[in-house]
Amino acid sequence: MTDDQHGHARRRVLRHLAGAATVLLPGWAASEAAAFAAPALSAAEGLRKLAMQHTHTGERIEIAYASGSQYLPDALGSLNHFLRDHYNGQTGRIDPALFDVLHRVHSLLGIDERSSVRFEVISGYRSPATNRFLRKTRGGGVANRSLHMQGQAIDVRL
């Protein structure tokens, strides 16, 4: 297999894995999450950006959320708003390390900033009230103490 074919095969596998993924930090040890995101951080002395579209609100965001080792507070606020509970509009604080994981996934797939490929957000922050409602109305699959309520999970697809 040539290097080009190998790279194509790797991207295809990653696309399948990232096609409908839930990004969870506490499911990993902190060191595992940091190790996964580290190449994106070390390679990104400049701006780290994300492009997302919300499947429920139709909103889109393209934003630089960090520069070097510093997160940009205004950008994090915009991302928190974008990822708000789409049932009731409540905003929570999303762990910025999740953005680094998403950025790293983009990097692994070889997607650059000029691409129109964006993450499709299915679920970001979830308020306790929404979580209770979903637990009662969905036939399972909603955790009692969902990490969405703690800003430590984002359901996405590419």
Side-chain angles (χ1 to χ4, degrees):
M1 185 179 280
T2 68
D3 286 342
D4 188 48
Q5 290 171 322
H6 179 72
H8 179 69
R10 186 188 80 196
R11 283 190 296 276
R12 189 174 63 243
V13 168
L14 288 170
R15 280 190 186 101
H16 287 292
L17 291 173
T22 298
V23 179
L24 300 170
L25 287 181
W28 285 342
S31 60
E32 291 172 320
F36 180 79
L41 300 177
S42 64
E45 293 178 11
L47 295 175
R48 291 195 303 283
K49 301 177 182 180
L50 287 173
M52 297 186 275
Q53 178 175 341
H54 203 293
T55 60
H56 296 285
T57 66
E59 295 171 318
R60 292 177 170 219
I61 191 168
E62 291 184 31
I63 195 163
Y65 70 93
S67 178
S69 64
Q70 300 296 311
Y71 292 109
L72 305 174
D74 289 344
L76 294 180
S78 294
L79 285 165
N80 288 338
H81 176 75
F82 176 80
L83 294 166
R84 69 193 177 278
D85 184 327
H86 65 272
Y87 286 92
N88 62 23
Q90 288 184 10
T91 301
R93 183 190 169 278
I94 304 297
D95 187 334
L98 283 173
F99 304 136
D100 291 332
V101 171
L102 292 174
H103 186 269
R104 175 74 172 132
V105 168
H106 242 221
S107 297
L108 285 172
L109 293 175
I111 300 169
D112 70 18
E113 297 169 6
R114 296 168 298 210
S115 170
S116 63
V117 176
R118 59 183 68 236
F119 286 103
E120 293 180 356
V121 174
I122 301 159
S123 180
Y125 173 74
R126 189 182 300 152
S127 70
T130 294
N131 203 68
R132 280 190 301 276
F133 169 76
L134 293 175
R135 281 185 53 77
K136 290 179 184 176
T137 60
R138 306 284 151 95
V142 177
N144 188 37
R145 288 183 268 172
S146 171
L147 297 175
H148 288 276
M149 295 187 303
Q150 300 169 37
Q152 295 183 320
I154 302 172
D155 298 340
V156 298
R157 67 179 174 228
L158 281 174

